[in-house]
Amino acid sequence: MSDRWYKKAVVYCLDIDTFADSNGDGVGDIRGLIGRLDYLARLGVTCLWLNPIHPSPDRDDGYDVSDFYNVDPRFGTLGDFAELLHQAGNLGIKVIIDLVVNHTSDKHPWFQSARSSPDSPYRNWYVWSETEPDDRRQGMVFPGEQRETWTYDRTAKAWFYHRFYKFQPDLNIKNPEVRAEIKKICAFWLQLGVSGFRMDAVPFIIEETEPGNPNSPKDMEFLSDLRQFVQWRKGDAVLLAEANVEPDQLVEFFGDGGGANGRIHMLFDFMLNARLMLALARADPEPVIEALRETPALPDGGQWATFLRNHDEVDLSRLTADQRADVFAKFGPEPEMQLYGRGIRRRLASMLGNDRRWLELAYSLQFSLRGTPVLRYGEEIGMGDDLALEGRDSIRTPMQWSALPNAGFTTGDPVRPVIADGDFGYEKVNVTLQRHDPGSLLSWFERMIRTLREAPEIGAGACTHVDVPAPEGVLVHRADDVTGTMLFLHNLCTKDAVVDLSSVYAEAEFPNDMLADREYPDLGKFAEVPVAGHGYRWIRLRRRP
Ligand code: NOJ
């Protein structure tokens, strides 16, 4: 699995502090995670993406790093981390970590030094302005929680720039020393054995911020440079970037336009994410068809990473106002379910009313579309959210392992409350219950991911809409690669449908359902192919030797 392994990966995202606690202090830790690797292997996960693991004051769930060269002592030691990499490797699981280098915590010694004196060797590692910048109240990422992007620091006697919260001062990417340090951080973790990085906030990392200029220039070349560096240090390491930008700006994150993938390997497909949510809300495949049609072609080697839920809010900012209103109405009608005016802070299972058929449909769709699927911990058992928690914490509750106290997550006082009541309470939704039940959502995920393994064209091949006269609500798409062809039917409506697929019959060599929501009659000559309400079918058309 080393040749472009990321195209065939199943990525599982987790936060160590809410996953599994091995020592009863209430905080998840590395040893706890090591103890659950067999669970992840059985699920079919091939790559872990760990949310920030570094020491941090933890005011933004670890995205405020105070030491890039260590692990948070609450999680364990570097020794434990090396052991994690070893044990995961034994099970064929790679590990990538969050690389959060747009900013540091304001408690980071670099910033403490930088603010202390204009003569500090670290002064120029951050972005300062002697006077109040005109764009001080522009460009906020967390409206409502953030009031400005430039804050006056009385110790420094200057304004510092922070794209995110004010306790996250931006590093100055114009400074060659900062660039060198970022490489050193990458080198350190690659040397320990990670397989790459989920790069946080990439469009902001490359911003060469100028006070008063809300559209400061961006240095894309930094990404080429970093990619080259990373690749020389570890040939098969990947960069998976968060770059939630306008569609026409996406391609340059992959490469310089010369047709080569010389920058980021994988980008999260935010556009598809929002359109999937819209398609589910409207029971209409059109937004997904549009996404397939409009997404720019990627240079060879470039890959999308798909997701339905990540660790943040569902970001609907790239939808039109009408589209967004439809998604809000269906999935987040109450103000307490919404965030930053653009998103929803609920888990998928609660948005879909804990409807098992709908959930399967949604995840079947995500995993069968182009790109590498990313799954957030707990989604595989249908965990819910706790809206009593602030902001994005609503979906960051401890993993529900069993019906033991505190969901088997800890024997101590959990870092965040476990979900105890209602339909999503841990006594009803937990791993132990589901692993013994072949009909559970967890068992379904295991089956679905196994099927994905049998169909490499899904992740690596070309994914296109199949334009057949499909009934309302039904999406037909296909995946083609040198390995063969898969055909997919997804019925986004609750009404049963029959699709005429005779136009693709000629291509069918050994047609059969590889995965479906139920047993369907023989496919015959594809003239009348049924798919139940909220049903799906993964049909193998061809298999190349
Ligand atoms: C994006 C991350 O996904 C989010 O959780 C974090 O708050 C910001 N970047 C700041 O690092």
Side-chain angles (χ1 to χ4, degrees):
M1 245 269 279
S2 64
D3 183 31
R4 298 213 173 146
W5 60 269
Y6 56 95
K7 290 201 165 194
K8 293 171 193 156
V10 174
V11 181
Y12 187 91
C13 165
L14 68 91
D15 206 339
I16 289 184
D17 60 357
T18 47
F19 199 61
D21 173 19
S22 72
N23 60 4
D25 67 355
V27 182
D29 48 45
I30 297 170
R31 298 221 67 84
L33 170 56
I34 292 174
R36 299 296 180 170
L37 286 173
D38 50 358
Y39 164 78
L40 297 168
R42 172 172 156 159
L43 178 58
V45 167
T46 61
C47 177
L48 294 183
W49 153 27
L50 304 180
N51 290 133
I53 57 172
H54 309 300
S56 161
D58 214 17
R59 297 180 66 191
D60 182 15
D61 214 16
Y63 285 90
D64 46 332
V65 176
S66 53
D67 178 2
F68 290 99
Y69 296 102
N70 214 332
V71 293
D72 190 323
R74 297 174 315 147
F75 299 166
T77 63
L78 275 178
D80 293 329
F81 187 73
E83 184 64 15
L84 167 70
L85 295 178
H86 176 72
Q87 298 291 353
N90 279 348
L91 292 166
I93 298 177
K94 294 178 187 288
V95 178
I96 66 177
I97 60 170
D98 242 299
L99 177 69
V100 190
V101 290
N102 172 67
H103 47 265
T104 67
S105 159
D106 60 354
K107 297 288 177 291
H108 196 295
W110 300 338
F111 187 70
Q112 289 301 318
S113 166
R115 71 196 293 216
S116 68
S117 154
D119 302 326
S120 155
Y122 292 102
R123 183 71 161 200
N124 199 26
W125 281 42
Y126 293 87
V127 184
W128 300 100
S129 173
E130 298 304 318
T131 53
E132 180 179 340
D134 297 341
D135 60 342
R136 177 182 161 194
R137 298 205 189 276
Q138 292 179 43
M140 268 96 69
V141 176
F142 302 126
E145 292 179 5
Q146 194 188 350
R147 293 201 348 259
E148 55 195 2
T149 48
W150 289 94
T151 291
Y152 186 71
D153 185 71
R154 268 187 281 172
T155 311
K157 298 192 182 53
W159 298 78
F160 68 92
Y161 182 67
H162 53 92
R163 176 58 83 159
F164 297 96
Y165 298 109
K166 71 171 180 207
F167 52 82
Q168 291 166 317
D170 272 39
L171 284 165
N172 177 13
I173 194 70
K174 279 200 250 181
N175 183 343
E177 288 178 18
V178 169
R179 294 181 182 224
E181 190 73 28
I182 292 175
K183 289 182 184 164
K184 200 157 113 185
I185 294 167
C186 291
F188 176 81
W189 293 100
L190 289 171
Q191 196 68 31
L192 262 184
V194 303
S195 293
F197 304 95
R198 179 268 186 189
M199 284 185 73
D200 189 60
V202 172
F204 304 134
I205 296 180
I206 57 178
E207 204 169 42
E208 299 190 317
T209 310
E210 296 165 352
N213 180 2
N215 297 309
S216 297
K218 291 189 172 24
D219 182 10
M220 283 286 173
E221 280 318 302
F222 174 64
L223 297 181
S224 311
D225 189 31
L226 187 69
R227 162 73 183 262
Q228 212 174 61
F229 177 83
V230 163
Q231 221 78 87
W232 276 109
R233 288 296 168 104
K234 187 170 187 187
D236 65 349
V238 297
L239 300 175
L240 161 59
E242 181 204 31
N244 189 356
V245 297
E246 292 294 336
D248 61 341
Q249 295 170 16
L250 283 167
V251 176
E252 56 181 340
F253 284 86
F254 287 102
D256 60 7
N261 169 227
R263 290 176 184 156
I264 303 292
H265 302 78
M266 277 201 284
L267 241 57
F268 286 104
D269 200 341
F270 280 94
M271 200 64 197
L272 181 66
N273 176 250
R275 287 179 171 178
L276 273 168
M277 296 311 292
L278 180 62
L280 292 169
R282 289 185 173 170
D284 176 6
E286 198 48 42
V288 176
I289 297 172
E290 240 173 57
L292 292 182
R293 200 185 316 126
E294 286 170 15
T295 320
L298 302 187
D300 188 29
Q303 173 86 339
W304 297 108
T306 68
F307 60 101
L308 280 169
R309 283 306 282 116
N310 65 10
H311 62 294
D312 292 325
E313 77 285 3
V314 182
D315 186 342
L316 305 170
S317 55
R318 298 203 184 278
L319 298 180
T320 65
D322 282 356
Q323 294 172 334
R324 196 163 38 247
D326 283 357
V327 182
F328 274 142
K330 194 82 183 173
F331 297 140
E334 304 300 330
E336 56 165 7
M337 299 170 174
Q338 303 176 3
L339 201 60
Y340 313 133
R342 62 166 184 247
I344 302 179
R345 57 187 205 108
R346 303 176 78 192
R347 287 245 192 197
L348 196 74
S350 65
M351 286 191 276
L352 301 190
N354 212 7
D355 180 327
R356 172 61 189 278
R357 289 187 59 78
W358 207 4
L359 270 170
E360 272 184 34
L361 170 86
Y363 274 111
S364 163
L365 192 51
Q366 182 211 332
F367 276 63
S368 65
L369 284 166
R370 59 163 182 227
T372 299
V374 182
L375 185 68
R376 171 89 175 140
Y377 80 90
E379 288 289 299
E380 73 277 20
I381 53 169
M383 271 174 59
D385 37 64
D386 181 351
L387 296 179
L389 298 179
E390 292 226 330
R392 292 167 290 162
D393 286 354
S394 53
I395 56 146
R396 297 171 176 179
T397 59
M399 179 68 177
Q400 296 174 193
W401 292 105
S402 69
L404 290 171
N406 291 320
F409 160 72
T410 180
T411 52
D413 273 342
V415 60
R416 289 204 189 101
V418 296
I419 296 180
D421 304 319
D423 288 346
F424 298 102
Y426 65 84
E427 286 178 4
K428 289 194 180 147
V429 177
N430 68 59
V431 169
T432 308
L433 266 182
Q434 295 197 22
R435 69 186 307 161
H436 296 306
D437 173 7
S440 67
L441 185 63
L442 176 62
S443 300
W444 177 82
F445 261 101
E446 289 171 358
R447 237 174 10 255
M448 189 264 287
I449 293 174
R450 264 203 311 274
T451 312
L452 196 70
R453 296 265 73 76
E454 290 179 88
E457 48 277 79
I458 299 178
C463 174
T464 44
H465 169 231
V466 181
D467 201 0
V468 291
E472 202 184 318
V474 177
L475 173 71
V476 185
H477 72 280
R478 60 187 288 162
D480 293 274
D481 201 7
V482 285
T483 46
T485 298
M486 294 283 295
L487 187 71
F488 307 94
L489 265 66
H490 287 89
N491 186 350
L492 278 70
C493 290
T494 46
K495 228 172 46 201
D496 295 355
V498 177
V499 190
D500 178 359
L501 290 173
S502 36
S503 58
V504 285
Y505 179 63
E507 294 183 58
E509 281 168 16
F510 309 103
N512 66 308
D513 275 321
M514 304 264 293
L515 185 80
D517 62 294
R518 65 179 58 176
E519 219 168 294
Y520 285 103
D522 192 74
L523 284 152
K525 296 206 164 170
F526 282 33
E528 291 184 350
V529 181
V531 55
H534 279 173
Y536 53 87
R537 300 180 70 166
W538 296 20
I539 301 168
R540 158 133 343 265
L541 282 188
R542 266 185 306 201
R543 183 80 174 133
R544 296 269 177 248

